[in-house]
Amino acid sequence: FLVAVLLRLPRHVAVAVAAPVTYGLVGAATPVYGALGWAWNPWTAGAELLVALGIAAALGRWVVAPRLGAPRPPRHPYSPLWILLGLGFAAVVTSVVFLRGTGGLGAVSQYWDAVWHTNYTQWIARTGQASPLRAGQFLNTETHSPLFYPSAMHALGALVLTLSGASATVAVNAGILVNIALVVPLGAACVTWAASRGNALAAMFAAGAASLFPTLP
């Protein structure tokens, strides 16, 4: 979110792109850290964030700002508070379905490959090796042959493990729940708000609809 704000994006757009930008930064850093032999941990992740903030601030000030025109006013009179209704609906529906369907944050359910995802997250936290180009070190234990596997979700989960001391199962489940109950509905609402130039009712329905996927979005 801070990177997007420094790039002079409107606040609602910055909220919508916060999660993709976060995954993008992690996805860009981990293969570089892996090649250099640097451990992935809260300190190195924080260092990357500071570098990204500096680059975003420079681009926002000297590249983006001179090209910005006057902001367009919203076209619709509805109060933005309507969006909270859609977000609340999405949070309640997804939380109830997720927690009842899985058995809770500490349960190993059958809808995702726990043997891979929880152990890979824990392995990153222990070794500091989060490069998607070196996932084979964990999966191919006999040969350690190369394997590409997108590891951004696991690298973020590893930071949660390190900072909170939670188990890998809780960290992965909590990450999924936060995504489906908050990040996806909020992103849908903000994108719709931007595309419709401030139609709060459209954004409300977008947030609610984001919770109604037949499988996890």
Side-chain angles (χ1 to χ4, degrees):
F1 173 76
L2 292 175
V3 169
V5 168
L6 290 175
L7 287 171
R8 304 302 177 95
L9 292 175
R11 290 293 194 275
H12 55 282
V13 179
V15 171
V17 303
V21 169
T22 299
Y23 282 109
L25 289 174
V26 175
T30 49
V32 175
Y33 284 6
L36 295 174
W38 297 352
W40 173 257
N41 56 47
W43 294 105
T44 53
E48 187 217 2
L49 177 59
L50 291 178
V51 171
L53 291 174
I55 294 174
L59 290 175
R61 179 174 181 179
W62 289 298
V63 178
V64 180
R67 302 181 182 182
L68 290 178
R72 295 184 301 173
R75 295 187 301 179
H76 304 279
Y78 312 116
S79 169
L81 293 177
W82 282 102
I83 301 176
L84 296 179
L85 183 62
L87 292 174
F89 172 83
V92 170
V93 168
T94 53
S95 296
V96 170
V97 171
F98 181 89
L99 294 174
R100 287 183 62 85
T102 61
L105 293 180
V108 178
S109 60
Q110 298 183 28
Y111 73 94
W112 52 271
D113 183 1
V115 173
W116 166 255
H117 293 294
T118 54
N119 286 311
Y120 186 38
T121 300
Q122 190 165 255
W123 185 80
I124 291 175
R126 289 179 176 177
T127 65
Q129 180 52 260
S131 172
L133 303 175
R134 300 178 67 178
Q137 286 183 283
F138 170 69
L139 184 63
N140 302 318
T141 54
E142 294 85 3
T143 63
H144 287 223
S145 58
L147 169 74
F148 172 83
Y149 188 87
S151 60
M153 180 185 78
H154 307 83
L156 284 173
L159 296 181
V160 175
L161 285 182
T162 302
L163 292 171
S164 69
S167 69
T169 302
V170 170
V172 172
N173 276 329
I176 295 172
L177 180 58
V178 168
N179 272 307
I180 64 175
L182 177 63
V183 174
V184 171
L186 186 59
C190 290
V191 167
T192 304
W193 173 272
S196 64
R197 290 182 59 186
N199 190 331
L201 292 184
M204 176 191 73
F205 283 111
S211 66
L212 301 178
F213 287 88
T215 57
L216 299 180

